[in-house]
Amino acid sequence: MTRKRRISWFKFASPPAFVALVDRLAPWLWAGAVLLAVAGLYVGFFVAPPDYQQGNSYRIMFLHVPAAWMGMFLYLLMAVYAIIHLSWRVRLADVMARSLAPTGALMTALSLWTGSLWGAPTWGTYWVWDARLTSTLLLLFLFLGYLALHASASDREKGGRAASLLAVVGVVNVPIIYFSVKWWNTLHQGMSVTPTDAPSMAPSMFAALMLMTAACWLYAAAIGLRRAQVEALEREVDSEWAQRMAGSTEGAEAPVPEPGAGRMADERGQG
Amino acid sequence: MWDGIGDFLAMGGHAPWVWGSYGAAAVLLVLEMVLLGRRRQRAYALLRRRARARQTAAVGHEAGGDA
């Protein structure tokens, strides 16, 4: 029983099985992300009332907080894959880490941008060098540094190992970001949502925040897996299985799926 | 809750910040999806070219063997 399950897990660590798995998962992840985002935006803009202090500017929270959480989470996940890559030389782990970095950078940039636009009407400034903001900026630089290092060496394996090392070292920054509002006196407000306490906001606001967070999760999963799939195929351009999965017949319009190519032909052009 | 579309768009005077945030998010996410979609199509095109080259090579090899 245990043995059987273990084998099926290893199966998805092989690139062909992974590529096929992403083809099955991605449409559901996209659909879920869109549905949850529509629901979250509806609740966030048409159900949740204006804040008694901040008016309507607080609605930036529904974007800012999920993006900030996702940036930190993707960094942690990237570091886990980096450890697996460094420890056991699993190629697919490097593919995963490399594929999460652009989305992590995007989410972190978005949290900084929306935070800045939220700070302007709320604090009266777009930027301060306080602990929360500065450590989040550092997170963005860590993502970009990872990507630059990965691309730096002519030998992909070498560049990947250097980048993985940076990812692992930089992970200390994540708890610093998360607890910065507790450890230091910051202009940034404290945690409104913690794993232990009841959220300090109206239920409809909290509902919108959770829906947008879930949408953000599914989006990141969809785009991260899709990028990992492309990355895995790009690294295997000369192998027969990858060529078979891309559909070996001409034209993108009417490819004939080969046995084992799964549903890839239907979904080409997505994400 | 909103008094018409104008009131909604005005966001109680916070329009530049609210729409600046959501607009940037929309642009960035669409950009990410478009860029990845194009990268994906390039990868697939390259794989198909390699597959054709492999088939041609295989056929050539067979023909060469027969002669």
Side-chain angles (χ1 to χ4, degrees):
Chain A
M1 185 69 193
T2 7
R3 193 190 166 89
K4 203 170 180 186
R5 181 172 292 173
R6 201 200 268 168
I7 287 168
S8 69
W9 275 115
F10 273 122
K11 204 183 112 195
F12 291 117
S14 93
F18 173 75
V19 168
L21 176 74
V22 174
D23 274 326
R24 281 209 306 277
L25 277 180
W28 297 100
L29 294 171
W30 288 125
V34 170
L35 283 176
L36 286 164
V38 168
L41 289 172
Y42 175 76
V43 176
F45 279 96
F46 297 100
V47 179
D51 186 72
Y52 74 102
Q53 275 181 327
Q54 302 184 17
N56 286 306
S57 66
Y58 93 92
R59 295 184 202 276
I60 295 171
M61 171 182 75
F62 305 133
L63 212 51
H64 173 73
V65 173
W69 280 343
M70 190 48 66
M72 288 189 286
F73 174 75
L74 287 178
Y75 195 91
L76 286 179
L77 199 57
M78 187 177 88
V80 168
Y81 281 120
I83 290 172
I84 296 173
H85 173 226
L86 288 174
S87 309
W88 293 284
R89 300 278 164 97
V90 181
R91 267 182 314 158
L92 197 56
D94 183 47
V95 168
M96 283 304 298
R98 169 64 184 75
S99 302
L100 293 174
T103 303
L106 185 146
M107 290 293 169
T108 308
L110 201 55
S111 80
L112 289 167
W113 173 259
T114 55
S116 181
L117 287 181
W118 193 4
T122 313
W123 301 338
T125 178
Y126 286 99
W127 183 262
V128 286
W129 290 100
D130 90 342
R132 175 54 76 79
L133 279 66
T134 308
S135 53
T136 305
L137 185 65
L138 181 61
L139 185 73
L140 177 62
F141 290 155
L142 281 168
F143 277 123
L144 298 178
Y146 172 90
L147 287 168
L149 258 184
H150 210 293
S152 65
S154 50
D155 172 15
R156 186 180 349 230
E157 186 52 37
K158 213 181 253 175
R161 274 205 300 278
S164 287
L165 199 63
L166 173 71
V168 175
V169 172
V171 85
V172 291
N173 187 43
V174 174
I176 293 178
I177 299 174
Y178 190 76
F179 293 109
S180 56
V181 289
K182 274 190 170 173
W183 292 345
W184 291 285
N185 233 329
T186 59
L187 186 55
H188 194 284
Q189 67 181 78
M191 301 174 195
S192 305
V193 181
T194 67
T196 46
D197 306 322
S200 55
M201 63 179 86
S204 56
M205 296 178 186
F206 184 67
L209 180 59
M210 288 300 107
L211 284 166
M212 290 297 277
T213 302
C216 191
W217 269 79
L218 292 184
Y219 172 83
I223 199 112
L225 286 171
R226 268 294 186 218
R227 189 179 289 111
Q229 187 190 43
V230 174
E231 179 103 20
L233 288 171
E234 282 173 352
R235 293 186 188 196
E236 301 275 349
V237 279
D238 288 314
S239 68
E240 211 177 337
W241 68 263
Q243 293 170 1
R244 201 169 51 241
M245 285 190 141
S248 50
T249 44
E250 6 266 292
E253 269 61 53
V256 180
E258 303 251 327
R263 299 170 51 219
M264 189 161 305
D266 308 331
E267 287 140 22
R268 188 169 303 129
Q270 266 190 23
Chain B
M1 186 163 63
W2 305 101
D3 195 13
I5 185 93
D7 187 38
F8 176 72
L9 290 177
M11 275 292 139
H14 287 139
W17 296 290
V18 173
W19 300 129
S21 296
Y22 281 88
V27 168
L28 283 178
L29 296 188
V30 167
L31 194 70
E32 186 181 29
M33 288 187 278
V34 167
L35 287 177
L36 182 58
R38 280 167 50 178
R39 181 177 163 192
R40 187 155 178 252
Q41 274 168 351
R42 275 200 306 276
Y44 273 64
L46 177 65
L47 283 164
R48 280 195 301 272
R49 273 202 305 280
R50 295 281 171 103
R52 273 200 297 276
R54 176 196 292 275
Q55 276 166 2
T56 319
V59 169
H61 186 71
E62 267 172 39
D66 289 343

